[in-house]
Amino acid sequence: MRSTLMDIAREAGVSPATVDRVLNNRQGVRERTRDAVLETARKLGYLAAPFSNSVENTGKIRLDFVLPAGTNTFIANLLSQIVSQGALQDDLDIRIQSIEGFNPDTLARTLHALVGVTQGVGVIALDHPTVREAMRALSLSGVPIVTLASDILHVPRAGYVGIDNRAAGRLAGYLLGRFLGEGKKRKIALFAGSLSYRGHEEREMGFRHVIMEEFRDLDIVELREVRDDRQRAYEEAVALFKRHPDLSGIYNIGAGNAGIGQALQEAGMASSVIFVGHELTDSTKRFLLDGTIDAVIDQNPRVEAREAISVLKNTILDRKFEHHPPRLQVIFRENIPES
């Protein structure tokens, strides 16, 4: 049975509140007390012993990337880039942990299981108390963490690799508003993977603020969460079009563009509804070319993979490095980059 905060407090001779401050890396605890609490937590098995980050001991640096499974093409492209770029570096051993992406307890268990096993972790994480606790446990065991695509605040981490999602949402709102132009009141709808992802929540906030500030004639009639699944996105879109046949615009915050695009085409609404989505994939390229999607806001998975590996590796080796975060890029039919 796993030890509790009360067990650690009793064994270390401090209060449970002090243990909580130490384990959550808060200020207000003397260094000697902090060391005693951490040593007790390790002795009781609450935390693993510090993992040796020495390349000499292992031959290679082990990095684990915890990514959501499913039909999200951007995640698949990111995974592919992490594996291929990692394979080019002989001193790295990269492992992929693919899990059900919308279950915080599954994610937390996966992160806890990596304590004492890995030397660095990259994760696309839900912002949830159990996940934050698992990330703190990893960090306290000496494992640097990088959040990818969607950040989590108030947890120790080596860095965030991804775009400014609030800015991305504002950009999407501006594009949709400019495409639709001024005129009578018109309906628009939002799709999201899950607002449990801080990145999706930030995009929604940015989008709503721009609409409220600059395009008050646009009425957001619905927000549907589709768990980044193309079939679910298709079904929700079909139902949405039946409820609102006069819909004028769609912003898809996450994945599922293929399902929404298919539903638009089948309903004969592809040319009348302005559609703004994220990530340049094979399906979004096709929809850009045939006019189903009007604009795609892209973050380059190759750059994201490169930077995540760089931050983790250089943090482990305690080396200085320059971080070059991925930039927002808007892609239309006329500027689709070469593969």
Side-chain angles (χ1 to χ4, degrees), residues 66-70 72 75-76 79 97-102 124-125 197 228:
V66 184
L67 305 176
N72 187 325
I75 300 299
L79 187 157
Q97 313 289 337
S98 292
I99 64 168
E100 200 282 296
F102 298 94
I124 297 179
Y197 281 114
D228 285 344

Side-chain angles (χ1 to χ4, degrees), residues 88 90 113 160 183 216 219 238 291 310 322 330:
L88 297 176
D90 293 336
Y160 163 63
R216 291 180 176 271
D219 180 23
V238 169
S310 172
E322 291 186 3
V330 182

Side-chain angles (χ1 to χ4, degrees), residues 23-231:
L23 295 182
N24 288 296
N25 203 28
R26 298 193 186 102
Q27 296 180 349
V29 182
R30 286 183 293 185
E31 196 64 33
R32 182 181 299 177
T33 302
R34 184 180 299 275
D35 291 342
V37 169
L38 291 175
E39 182 180 352
T40 301
R42 294 185 184 109
K43 184 173 69 174
L44 294 178
Y46 190 90
L47 295 178
F51 191 89
S52 172
N53 285 332
S54 171
V55 178
E56 289 77 12
N57 289 347
T58 62
K60 291 187 176 184
I61 299 172
R62 173 167 168 173
L63 303 180
D64 284 76
F65 286 85
V66 184
L67 305 176
T71 61
N72 187 325
T73 308
F74 170 75
I75 300 299
N77 291 341
L78 177 62
L79 187 157
S80 176
Q81 286 292 333
I82 290 170
V83 171
S84 62
Q85 293 191 42
L88 297 176
Q89 304 186 50
D90 293 336
D91 58 348
L92 293 182
D93 174 18
I94 289 184
R95 314 283 182 94
I96 302 296
Q97 313 289 337
S98 292
I99 64 168
E100 200 282 296
F102 298 94
N103 187 326
D105 293 330
T106 299
L107 174 55
R109 283 195 298 271
T110 301
L111 293 174
H112 276 300
L114 291 172
V115 174
V117 174
T118 189
Q119 291 170 272
V121 170
V123 60
I124 297 179
L126 297 168
D127 194 350
H128 188 274
T130 60
V131 175
R132 293 194 293 271
E133 181 186 0
M135 292 176 68
R136 291 185 185 112
L138 266 175
S139 180
L140 285 168
S141 72
V143 177
I145 303 167
V146 163
T147 51
L148 289 158
S150 181
D151 200 8
I152 295 184
L153 304 180
H154 311 303
V155 293
R157 68 208 196 308
Y160 163 63
V161 177
I163 59 174
D164 181 335
N165 284 299
R166 189 180 180 90
R170 290 186 63 88
L171 178 58
Y174 181 78
L175 287 169
L176 198 63
R178 294 292 290 175
F179 268 121
L180 289 171
E182 297 181 2
K184 63 180 182 180
K185 198 81 169 177
R186 279 155 299 167
K187 297 179 179 180
I188 58 176
L190 300 178
F191 288 82
S194 171
L195 298 181
S196 296
Y197 281 114
R198 178 178 287 273
H200 286 198
E201 181 183 36
E202 290 173 344
R203 289 178 188 178
E204 183 206 4
M205 290 170 58
F207 181 86
R208 287 184 182 274
H209 282 179
V210 165
I211 296 302
M212 182 175 62
E213 292 165 5
E214 300 191 33
F215 306 103
R216 291 180 176 271
D217 56 333
L218 300 183
D219 180 23
I220 302 174
V221 292
E222 292 198 35
L223 167 60
R224 314 302 298 177
E225 293 186 74
V226 297
R227 295 182 172 265
D228 285 344
D229 180 80
R230 65 171 62 100
Q231 181 60 32

